[in-house]
Amino acid sequence: ADEDCVDGLLRDQRRTVMDNKRVYSVQEIMDILNISSTTAYELVRKKVFHSVMIGSHIRISRKSFDEWLSTQI
């Protein structure tokens, strides 16, 4: 029971962090959509939402991603 409570709190904390983010990583897109890295990078390559390279990291605009996602559902 205590483990379930801790799991719930951690889920709530992750949700709060995600709610406050302005960008997503490719890993976060993979988690949100439950897709493979190949598929996630293909979406980035096709420019279905706005993304930028910061050093060697890809960051995806949350606003752009959320707008795109709302058209897919």
Side-chain angles (χ1 to χ4, degrees), residues 3-67:
E3 286 181 19
D4 291 339
C5 184
V6 170
D7 288 344
L9 288 172
L10 290 174
R11 245 189 326 275
D12 290 345
Q13 284 178 334
R14 281 193 295 270
R15 191 174 301 118
T16 299
V17 168
M18 291 290 276
D19 288 345
N20 292 327
K21 293 185 110 183
R22 294 184 63 187
V23 295
Y24 293 132
S25 66
V26 172
Q27 181 64 53
E28 289 168 324
I29 297 302
M30 291 167 52
D31 293 343
I32 291 166
L33 299 175
N34 194 28
I35 59 175
S36 69
S37 60
T38 301
T39 302
Y41 283 107
E42 184 71 11
L43 291 172
V44 170
R45 188 186 67 73
K46 289 181 176 179
K47 300 182 180 186
V48 297
F49 34 73
H50 182 70
S51 64
V52 294
M53 287 290 294
I54 301 175
S56 61
H57 302 280
I58 297 172
R59 293 296 177 254
I60 297 143
S61 160
R62 176 185 172 170
K63 180 180 180 199
S64 174
F65 174 81
D66 290 348
E67 288 171 355

